[in-house]
Amino acid sequence: MEKVEPYQGWIGIIFCFWGVWGIITAILNLGWLSTSPVWWITFLAGNLVSAGLGFMLGSGLINKFFLSNNAAARVRAEELRETIAPKQGKLGLLGIAVGSWMIIASFLFSVA
């Protein structure tokens, strides 16, 4: 873990934006709810967890690079991080569970 620690912020930023992009994709593909609702809910849940964990890992760099010019957004991001921080361990376990389910569900329910 010590070798990964210097890159933690960058990994977090990538996962945060990847999760946000997945959330947007899920919203744009609401039609999946009629054809494959389990997959759509799984996809949305996985991306919500990814965005949340990515935000936790990359919050320092996100504040530095993206929110440095906007004090109000920076304060709001810190408040959000303080709200999520006590739940970080549970969010990580949820991430493992949802990620495992996403792998299984991708074979069972995916939309072609």
Side-chain angles (χ1 to χ4, degrees), residues 77-92:
E78 279 301 316
E79 289 173 357
L80 180 62
R81 187 182 189 300
E82 289 173 10
T83 303
I84 298 174
K87 299 172 181 95
Q88 185 173 3
K90 290 179 184 175
L91 191 60

Side-chain angles (χ1 to χ4, degrees), residues 22-64:
I23 293 167
I24 292 167
T25 302
I27 292 169
L28 292 175
N29 291 299
L30 281 173
W32 291 353
L33 274 171
S34 62
T35 59
S36 189
V38 174
W39 173 245
W40 186 85
I41 292 167
T42 300
F43 185 71
L44 181 63
N47 284 299
L48 285 169
V49 171
S50 177
L53 287 171
F55 178 76
M56 288 299 299
L57 280 174
S59 63
L61 285 179
I62 291 170
N63 284 341
K64 180 180 176 183

